[in-house]
Amino acid sequence: MDSGIAAVTIDPDVDRQRDHWRTTFARRRDFLGAAASEPAVAALARFESAGVRGVLELGSGQGRDTLYFASAGLAVTALDYADEGLEQLLGAAEGAGLADRVLPVSADVRLPLPFASQSFDACYAHMLFCMALSTPDLERLAGEVRRVLRPGGLLVYTVRTTEDAHFGVGTDHGDSMWEAGGFIVHFFDRALIDRLATGFEVLDIAEYTEGKLPRRLVGITMRKADRSGRRP
Ligand SMILES: C[S@@+](CC[C@H](N)C(=O)[O-])C[C@H]1O[C@@H](n2cnc3c(N)ncnc32)[C@H](O)[C@@H]1O
């Protein structure tokens, strides 16, 4: 691609969920809103107090939170498999004079993350872990995030929960995944949160609502064990 987006191998088995996100972003600018999300505002406060400078954002979408982090001075690597969102994000970053702080990367989180070990201070993912990712996919992804975080690095991720009004509605894909409106969502319970915390210390679990439904979310903040291997 000749659009300034870093060229990274994408899962060749492109699935219909990816197509659905690409079409949705192409048709609807600011599909999830233009302003930074509430979890991003909380995450930035946490990042600033921890001295975070470089953040990996997974599932950055059209970039509402990416731009918020970049405008606060963070260097953001924004990863998504929907190139339409990344192109819109890059255009908005250029328009805001923030392009030097945003690196868009097209990749599928079901594959190993295309980054060196211990290369980020923090990872942020708003509603990415609750996409069409099976429990084994999620365990692999949590391990990959742990690999690319520096010792003591932070992971902040949000997910829709089994308290959400869409849990149990639409087409059942098994493994707590339900499809409504063409989107498959993996609804989280506490056991899954704990399962993904291997090698991390859970610092905080906060509740959020978002959108008209509203979506019922939790935001989990975790810290990777420090260099000595001890959990801080
Ligand atoms: C619910 S949207 C959230 C977007 C953004 N975080 C926000 O809140 O505005 C989920 C995002 O995850 C991306 N996504 C879903 N599955 C993915 C995968 N397997 N690999 C990479 N990105 C994925 C979608 O393209 C979409 O941009």
Side-chain angles (χ1 to χ4, degrees), residues 51-169:
V52 166
R53 301 175 62 133
V55 177
L56 169 62
E57 182 180 1
L58 299 175
S60 48
Q62 292 162 302
R64 57 178 173 157
D65 293 341
T66 318
L67 296 178
Y68 175 69
F69 293 140
S71 65
L74 299 183
V76 190
T77 299
L79 182 150
D80 204 290
Y81 69 179
D83 289 354
E84 283 70 8
L86 291 173
E87 285 160 9
Q88 292 167 3
L89 186 168
L90 189 59
E94 283 166 353
L98 296 170
D100 60 336
R101 292 196 206 134
V102 175
L103 175 66
V105 174
S106 178
D108 188 323
V109 298
R110 289 169 295 185
L111 295 174
L113 295 177
F115 309 109
S117 299
Q118 303 189 12
S119 48
F120 296 97
D121 300 322
C123 176
Y124 171 82
H126 183 26
M127 293 191 288
L128 176 277
F129 278 67
C130 59
M131 293 290 94
L133 301 167
S134 67
T135 297
D137 286 337
L138 289 168
E139 287 176 323
R140 272 191 297 273
L141 176 58
E144 275 294 283
V145 170
R146 194 170 171 279
R147 179 182 67 75
V148 302
L149 281 176
R150 66 164 171 75
L154 297 171
L155 167 59
V156 178
Y157 74 96
T158 71
V159 286
R160 292 174 71 176
T161 73
T162 51
E163 303 295 314
D164 191 289
H166 275 174
F167 176 59
V169 173

